[in-house]
Amino acid sequence: MAYTDIVREERHVAPANYSMKIDSFSLLSEMVDNSYESREFEASSYRWKLVLYPNGDKSRNGDGYISLYLDKYLTIGDGRLKRFSAIKNKWGFPQMLSLSIFNNASNGYLIGDSCVFGVEVFVIKNEGKGEHFSMIKDPSDGAFTWEVQKFSELTAEFYYSPVYLAGRHQWKLKLFPNGNTKQRGKHLSLYLGLDDCTKFHAGWKLFVEFTLRIRDQVRSHHHEETIRTWFNASEKDWGLTSFISLTEIKNQSNNFIVNDTLIVEGVLNCLSVLKDFDGASLIRKEYTTLVL
């Protein structure tokens, strides 16, 4: 299929194979660099993904547009997935729709910061499967505090905080009081980890912007770092090996350690939410579906 073979049309029914509803589209555009990939879905014995560039695929002259692609995989005999072609595995629209038209609510593509993208691979009966992706900014329960007492007596390589429930997930902080790997003896290392990964579906991922902080307990001149990243099955915790130098920590004028207690904080600034979604339930009066 060449781009010249593409026919653009406006429809009144949801796409038959897969729908991807996105809430908080403005946050997605602001927080996530490059692209967002849907979960894998099956259509006509093949595995696929939708790949959305909310700010345009700049590598293909998509700047200023919504870019949307269909990424194809081939299922082979032993059940493994393999890209159908190493040369051309994605088809789609680098310039699907200009952002100026898309962002204009009167056009009906983006309503209440929500939109829907979809795909039909072949003409088949409606499978009705899909996903509902949204992003939450500053969740109300997204801050937690850990008082690390008797800091001078800590001798183990690392310590875990209690488990905190925030943003519908369980989290824990991981502290290396004397540093991790090459920073041992030089820096304190600090990480945020997910503690409830077993409840996620296969191939899960979770976008999080979070702040790690060590409190100045007198003047509020805290030391903090903010990180944006995707958590997944192979990366269940993120942080900084060189979070703060041990010299700074032990400098009494910084007030990080008071009465031999260090106060560590974690704050969730923004995180993604992914739910199963009945794509067949979409109707024209609620959303305009863009069909790839």
Side-chain angles (χ1 to χ4, degrees), residues 151 154-159 175-179 187-189 246:
F151 184 81
L154 301 181
T155 57
E157 181 183 5
F158 61 84
Y159 295 84
L175 173 71
F176 290 78
N178 200 41
H187 287 80
L188 177 146
S189 305
L246 293 177

Side-chain angles (χ1 to χ4, degrees), residues 14 60 63 108 131 147 234:
R60 300 186 181 182
D63 195 14
E131 64 185 60
E147 292 191 7
S234 60

